[in-house]
Amino acid sequence: MGDTMAERDEWPDDGGTDLVDPHPDPDESAAESALRPTTLAEFDGQPRVSDQLGLVLEAARARNAVPDHVLLSGPPGLGKTTLAGIIAAEMGAPLRISSGPAIQHAGDLAAILSGLTEGEVFFLDEIHRMSRPAEEMLYLAMEDFRVDVVVGKGPGATAIPLDIPQFTLVGATTRAGMLPGPLRDRFGFNAQLDFYDAEALERIVARSGTLIGADLDPSGAVEIASRSRGTPRIANRLLRRVRDYALVRADGRITEAVARAALDLYEVDTLGLDRLDRGVLDAICRKFGGGPVGLSTLAIAVGEETETVEEVAEPFLVRLGFLMRTPRGRVATAAGWRHLGLTPPRQQTTTTAEEPDLFS
Ligand SMILES: Nc1ncnc2c1ncn2[C@@H]1O[C@H](COP(=O)(O)OP(=O)(O)OP(=O)(O)O)[C@@H](O)[C@H]1O
């Protein structure tokens, strides 16, 4: 499709094979589905969104109406797909799932919309990646529950209006800023999902542990949660790996010590940095004196593609306050130096914040 960097996700889908990569991994979809909460009451960790959404759904039920269209935005792995399923379940409605990149022609969208049943929830993932003609068709569908089907070509083409059933669109995007204003305005409710705090992740890990039948000590859940980068998808993935370790290398019980040993083995450190994250930070500090160093030089130094460094490792390092992207190149902060157990150079010690806030 020839996406430019600017058009692509800040959290792009690179296949998601990495343990701490927040993107979905197709091989994990069955395991993920088994752990999805199915009611709003079960959806832990986003109290503001749960409260507001609960009100929207309750009001719709009271009015015996289809709920307003809902826009969910935020980084991958925080529960957008899960929430779409919850909205459908809470409304007792079927759920239809598609994604922006899958809808390249307006006709694809017309086919989906005209096949919906009354009240159906239509989840459209990566809505910012839909084609322009499909997007324009969606405006009309969202507002008037109508699509114009164009028949014929050239000057003789005619648009035949077609009524479609009332439905609720749940749009999901990692880039709310990339949505055109007219599309954003057509959503009645707009929810921004945030990274989860440690306590919420602990509860999620404990719940998932019960569901997968793991023998999980609360201290083990704390250890897993603290290395999960504020992201339930990563927490569940680490839990599965730690469960395996506990079965093979210990007596099956996931204690703090077992979780720690397992995650050390998988090279996920106490803040959730993996080998690539640490490699990038280490190269900036040790090979380039803390920077600034250009992205391509840095990528060569760690033996990775520039895209991988820029899109997979850097966002989390920036979020932790360990790395700065400056016009002159990448710079390690004092906190970054300290995380590696190194002493920051003198001019660095005063320039940066102290310990990072992992979950903000
Ligand atoms: N609040 C939550 N409580 C418990 N589990 C959660 C919660 N949010 C997400 N999860 C779990 O995290 C995993 C990923 O969630 P989900 O697929 O909904 O994320 P997403 O935001 O749609 O990600 P993407 O945008 O990459 O598709 C699922 O297994 C789900 O069960």
Side-chain angles (χ1 to χ4, degrees):
M1 272 210 314
D3 285 354
T4 65
M5 275 301 296
E7 285 170 324
R8 286 165 61 174
D9 286 349
E10 196 179 332
W11 299 277
D13 187 349
D14 73 332
T17 50
D18 204 327
L19 263 189
V20 289
D21 188 329
H23 297 95
D25 177 348
D27 293 343
E28 286 182 336
S29 64
E32 283 207 336
S33 299
L35 297 180
R36 282 187 205 289
T38 50
T39 62
L40 257 191
E42 262 189 308
F43 186 80
D44 199 356
Q46 304 278 337
R48 188 177 39 86
V49 170
S50 295
D51 246 23
Q52 295 172 349
L53 188 58
L55 195 66
V56 170
L57 300 183
E58 206 176 318
R61 278 195 297 264
R63 287 184 287 117
N64 207 10
V66 169
D68 274 350
H69 303 300
V70 175
L71 179 65
L72 303 172
S73 49
L78 298 192
K80 297 184 290 299
T81 311
T82 303
L83 270 178
I86 289 175
I87 293 171
E90 296 266 345
M91 296 308 295
L95 175 69
R96 172 83 199 229
I97 298 181
S98 190
S99 75
I103 298 177
Q104 281 315 307
H105 306 289
D108 302 336
L109 183 63
I112 294 175
L113 293 173
S114 55
L116 295 176
T117 54
E118 195 69 25
E120 191 155 353
V121 173
F122 176 32
F123 177 59
L124 192 46
D125 205 2
E126 297 188 78
I127 192 169
H128 59 279
R129 295 182 63 192
M130 224 178 359
S131 73
R132 193 68 213 210
E135 197 177 283
E136 272 162 19
M137 174 175 278
L138 193 60
Y139 292 165
L140 196 60
M142 290 171 78
E143 210 154 81
D144 294 343
F145 299 106
R146 182 163 66 85
V147 289
D148 283 340
V149 181
V150 180
V151 181
K153 282 198 167 133
T158 25
I160 302 178
L162 183 72
D163 285 333
I164 55 171
Q166 297 220 358
F167 68 102
T168 298
L169 177 69
V170 179
T173 180
T174 48
R175 303 290 302 268
M178 275 178 64
L179 282 192
L183 181 54
R184 238 191 348 248
D185 294 346
R186 282 171 168 81
F187 287 95
F189 175 63
N190 194 332
Q192 166 76 47
L193 299 189
D194 296 322
F195 289 106
Y196 289 64
D197 63 33
E199 291 74 29
L201 278 179
E202 282 160 34
R203 292 191 299 270
I204 289 171
V205 170
R207 173 183 172 275
S208 299
T210 307
L211 289 175
I212 65 171
D215 183 5
L216 177 65
D217 189 84
S219 65
V222 170
E223 192 61 31
I224 294 169
S226 69
R227 301 193 192 201
S228 299
R229 302 165 84 127
T231 306
R233 168 171 291 133
I234 298 175
N236 286 340
R237 191 183 289 146
L238 295 185
L239 170 65
R240 289 194 293 272
R241 293 291 73 78
V242 173
R243 186 256 329 253
D244 293 350
Y245 179 97
L247 288 175
V248 176
R249 300 263 172 102
D251 62 358
R253 183 152 181 81
I254 302 174
T255 58
E256 180 186 349
V258 167
R260 192 174 289 166
L263 295 171
D264 286 349
L265 178 77
Y266 291 120
E267 301 187 282
V268 177
D269 77 13
T270 50
L271 289 182
L273 269 65
D274 70 355
R275 196 217 275 246
L276 173 65
D277 304 321
R278 280 191 307 278
V280 167
L281 199 54
D282 193 82
I284 301 175
C285 295
R286 287 188 217 260
K287 293 191 175 142
F288 305 108
V293 53
L295 176 63
S296 49
T297 309
L298 183 57
I300 293 168
V302 294
E304 277 293 350
E305 300 289 326
T306 51
E307 287 79 12
T308 310
V309 171
E310 185 175 33
E311 298 166 359
V312 178
E314 285 188 355
F316 188 56
L317 293 173
V318 171
R319 198 176 118 209
L320 288 177
F322 286 177
L323 179 142
M324 291 186 296
R325 289 169 166 165
T326 74
R328 292 192 302 133
R330 274 56 178 171
V331 177
T333 65
W337 282 84
R338 288 196 201 103
H339 183 69
L340 295 177
L342 302 171
T343 308
R346 224 203 244 276
Q347 72 271 23
Q348 279 276 348
T349 49
T350 51
T351 53
T352 19
E354 289 307 308
E355 287 309 306
D357 179 1
L358 222 188
F359 299 100
S360 61

